[in-house]
Amino acid sequence: MSLASEMENPYAGQGPVLLDIGGDIGALVVAMPAELEGKEVEIRPVDHRPDDGPLRHVAVLGRTFTGRTLHSAVFPDLPAGRYALSLRPDGEERLRASVTGGQVCYSAWPGAVDSTDPPAHSSFGRTE
């Protein structure tokens, strides 16, 4: 079975990502290791309680950027705040990041190739 047929949205990653930011809503782009392509990354506010409702998740996808493929997880519209990220389904926290309203923030998963700098020619802001 191919990766595309296993994913919720087989067309994901085949075009630009629409980010809906402004006011207290920002976006988070997380550089990911290539070997996690197709895995799901879950995000939750650091102060999330189980009765707060369902958690959001996105797939790790390879996207072409300046002639090379970079793997990332993109959360297009998040309220400003601090977040904990984990791989589904284990739920073990692997990364914390902050989102600032009106900005695209950038972070890197442990082991990501581009773990020290945001992609060249980007307007990404750094997170922790």
Side-chain angles (χ1 to χ4, degrees):
M1 182 179 276
S2 74
L3 177 63
S5 63
E6 293 175 5
M7 296 173 55
E8 262 180 51
N9 179 357
Y11 302 106
Q14 296 182 14
V17 178
L18 177 63
L19 304 178
D20 188 9
I21 63 174
D24 68 345
I25 303 296
L28 179 63
V29 176
V30 182
M32 300 293 295
E35 62 269 15
L36 294 180
E37 183 169 6
K39 301 290 185 187
E40 295 283 327
V41 176
E42 188 169 78
I43 191 165
R44 68 184 175 281
V46 169
D47 60 356
H48 180 82
R49 298 179 319 224
D51 60 339
D52 284 344
L55 299 175
R56 294 177 59 183
H57 59 95
V58 298
V60 175
L61 298 171
R63 294 177 171 88
T64 302
F65 184 80
T66 63
R68 61 187 189 143
T69 300
L70 299 177
H71 290 81
S72 63
V74 179
F75 295 90
D77 57 346
L78 296 170
R82 291 182 33 78
Y83 290 89
L85 291 89
S86 60
L87 285 179
R88 289 183 77 176
D90 72 7
E92 179 184 338
E93 182 179 317
R94 307 272 180 104
L95 177 70
R96 284 201 175 186
S98 295
V99 173
T100 302
Q103 294 185 21
V104 178
C105 299
Y106 174 84
S107 194
W109 196 263
V113 173
D114 291 340
S115 62
T116 57
D117 294 308
H121 305 95
S122 75
S123 59
F124 296 137
R126 270 224 143 312
T127 64
E128 39 188 298

